[in-house]
Amino acid sequence: MPPVPAEAGAPATPEHSSPARAAGMEGRIAPEAVAVITLTYGDRSAMLAQMIRAVAADGVCDVLVLANGLAPGPAEKLARLADGLAAEGIRVHVHESPANLGSSAGYARLIAGTLALPGAGAAWFLDDDNVPRPGSLALLLDAQAATGGAVSGVRTDRYYLMETARTGRAEPPRPGEAFGIDLRAPFRRAWRKLRGRPPASPAAAVPIPRVPYGGLLVPRAQLRSIAPPRADFVIYGDDYDYSARLAAGGGLHLVGGALVDDLEASWNATKSAAAPAGGPRPKRMRRRGQAFRLATMKPDFRLYYSLRNALWLDRARLTPLSLPLFAVNVAGLVAMAAGQALV
């Protein structure tokens, strides 16, 4: 993730009524009507180029990139990359920000840019080091036409997304959970072990309550009807808040066949190894929960925003009956962090 961002308000999303480019049969959005939106920081043009060429191979023509507080050298590299891709017929629209806006205000700005782009029928959110596997966009567009709402690919380094795609069932966050800790979880796992692992029952599209940004495709109607990511989140958790609002306001489905790999290991990946592109799925995936990551993080801005935003999301699900459990789960995180400090 980016260096310490400057807190900034999200720009207002303009209302544009430009029709989407020609759609396929039954209202299916055409690949060339999809605008990829991504944030980049530091010096990551090489990875960004791989991502852009991967989506272009699936038919994308427009990529909106927010240069999130780039230094002069990386900014020049990005400009040269955009010029080179233009010669290949790929339109890279660079939006510059002198300060790092973080992910929430950054994506809000790119959503506004998508709505201002003539003919854009959907925004496809991707990290600058995400590489969708060939054919992923077609699967997403098929599922979007069938469901009518937002859809998401499967990040191969996220255990819960891979498992949701495998079983065809998504587990929603439960009231009383705190930072990924839930004292009821061991009992649920023991019960599932007694019953046996749920059989594989993949579906083309599985309803899911929330997803990360990477792989999320949002049609124009939802871009306009759902408020953009909250600027006050700055980073971390803003993707869950935004995608949960998409799920509640038009629908959100996970498309199991649309796999998205990461060129760089994510700091918050939830399984030990991602399946390589075109390779077999690992036999065992080790879950590494949110609580473990929080308890072992360095005390910097990442930890601050992770804790603050996770607390807001967890509190929003609280009920009077779940409050005592929530307090105990918070104490569990404190104990876990203290134990790590002694190691």
Side-chain angles (χ1 to χ4, degrees), residues 173-181 184 210 230 232-233 237 240-241 290 306-327 329-330:
R174 292 175 170 82
E177 289 183 10
F179 309 105
I181 294 178
R184 299 163 294 188
R210 62 184 192 178
R230 291 180 47 165
D232 55 348
F233 268 54
Y240 284 162
D241 172 70
Q290 179 188 32
S306 295
L307 287 171
R308 188 197 69 170
N309 296 346
L311 179 62
W312 189 95
L313 293 169
D314 291 339
R315 286 178 60 190
R317 292 191 300 271
L318 276 179
T319 64
L321 290 177
S322 66
L323 185 57
L325 177 62
F326 178 77
N329 286 332
V330 171

Side-chain angles (χ1 to χ4, degrees), residues 270-333:
T270 54
K271 70 184 185 70
S272 56
R281 180 173 176 266
K283 292 182 179 180
R284 293 183 61 85
M285 295 191 295
R286 176 173 57 84
R287 294 195 67 166
R288 192 171 64 190
Q290 179 188 32
F292 175 84
R293 297 193 302 276
L294 292 174
T296 55
M297 286 174 67
K298 295 179 181 178
D300 60 9
F301 77 98
R302 292 183 179 187
L303 179 61
Y304 168 73
Y305 285 116
S306 295
L307 287 171
R308 188 197 69 170
N309 296 346
L311 179 62
W312 189 95
L313 293 169
D314 291 339
R315 286 178 60 190
R317 292 191 300 271
L318 276 179
T319 64
L321 290 177
S322 66
L323 185 57
L325 177 62
F326 178 77
V328 172
N329 286 332
V330 171
L333 175 65

Side-chain angles (χ1 to χ4, degrees), residues 39-201:
L39 314 176
T40 194
Y41 61 96
D43 188 0
R44 299 165 64 86
S45 291
M47 289 188 291
L48 177 63
Q50 293 184 62
M51 183 272 278
I52 293 175
R53 288 195 169 93
V55 299
D58 264 3
V60 170
C61 298
D62 291 282
V63 179
L64 281 67
V65 179
L66 178 65
N68 222 359
L70 296 191
E76 291 174 6
K77 287 184 181 179
L78 178 58
R80 289 196 298 271
L81 173 63
D83 290 341
L85 291 169
E88 301 175 26
I90 306 168
R91 295 182 290 269
V92 179
H93 311 263
V94 178
H95 296 244
E96 297 182 356
S97 173
N100 192 316
L101 301 179
S103 55
S104 55
Y107 273 122
R109 180 170 169 181
L110 293 178
I111 289 171
T114 301
L115 290 171
L117 188 66
W124 192 8
F125 293 67
L126 289 169
D127 294 346
D128 61 0
D129 65 339
N130 287 163
V131 178
R133 297 192 188 176
S136 291
L137 180 56
L139 293 173
L140 289 172
L141 294 177
D142 288 344
Q144 196 287 316
T147 63
V151 292
S152 177
V154 179
R155 293 276 294 276
T156 57
D157 66 345
R158 305 299 172 96
Y159 176 91
Y160 67 98
L161 295 180
M162 294 288 283
E163 191 67 2
T164 296
R166 188 188 73 82
T167 63
R169 295 184 299 276
E171 284 197 21
R174 292 175 170 82
E177 289 183 10
F179 309 105
I181 294 178
D182 185 359
L183 292 179
R184 299 163 294 188
F187 301 100
R188 289 197 299 270
R189 286 196 293 268
W191 174 243
R192 284 198 294 264
K193 189 173 182 179
L194 287 173
R195 291 187 305 164
R197 192 180 189 196
S201 182

